[in-house]
Amino acid sequence: MPIDGFAWPSAAYDGIAAIFVQFAAPDLRKRLFARMIASLKPGGILILQGYTPKQLEYKTGGPSAVSHLYTEAMLREAFHELEIIELREYETELSEGSGHHGRSALIGMVAHRPS
């Protein structure tokens, strides 16, 4: 089933993890993020991890289009309804097969839906 076809139930989940869902172009990403927010129960936690635009310099995996990469400002705007507990950019070595190997520019976020 395509991700855009998933029926995200309202206020159903205590936690959602969105790890490298950067296949989503901006329009799909906007819908996906809105559905994630709506699917969190009050007090629910969202964990998100992805690549930043600096990843294009490393060429060690991830999307090749800057429009699919995350910035702190973009995530703050997209998830403004949630309380952001942690949001940080960092770099590390990844070794996740031939498609994601080497120095990587990442961003991670933990947020919760207020009760």
Side-chain angles (χ1 to χ4, degrees), residues 31-112:
R31 290 191 305 273
L32 182 60
F33 286 179
R35 291 171 182 165
M36 288 178 186
I37 293 166
S39 288
L40 280 175
K41 290 179 182 178
I45 298 289
L46 172 71
I47 298 170
L48 179 138
Q49 182 175 13
Y51 290 107
T52 70
K54 187 170 183 178
Q55 179 64 17
L56 296 176
E57 297 173 24
Y58 291 127
K59 299 178 182 162
T60 56
S64 58
V66 72
S67 63
H68 290 229
L69 301 169
Y70 302 159
T71 66
E72 184 177 327
M74 185 268 289
L75 293 177
R76 285 191 185 283
E77 181 179 333
F79 293 102
H80 70 274
E81 297 174 52
L82 302 181
E83 179 183 327
I84 295 175
I85 298 166
E86 182 175 358
L87 176 58
R88 69 180 183 98
E89 294 183 24
Y90 61 100
E91 295 185 16
T92 193
E93 298 289 324
L94 291 183
S95 182
E96 299 176 348
S98 61
H100 298 94
H101 187 80
R103 192 79 179 155
S104 298
L106 306 171
I107 189 164
M109 182 182 79
V110 178
H112 96 287

Side-chain angles (χ1 to χ4, degrees), residues 10-44:
S10 181
Y13 301 116
D14 292 315
I16 295 173
I19 310 300
F20 297 120
V21 294
Q22 293 179 282
F23 54 81
D27 287 344
L28 173 56
R29 180 180 63 224
K30 184 176 181 177
R31 290 191 305 273
L32 182 60
F33 286 179
R35 291 171 182 165
M36 288 178 186
I37 293 166
S39 288
L40 280 175
K41 290 179 182 178

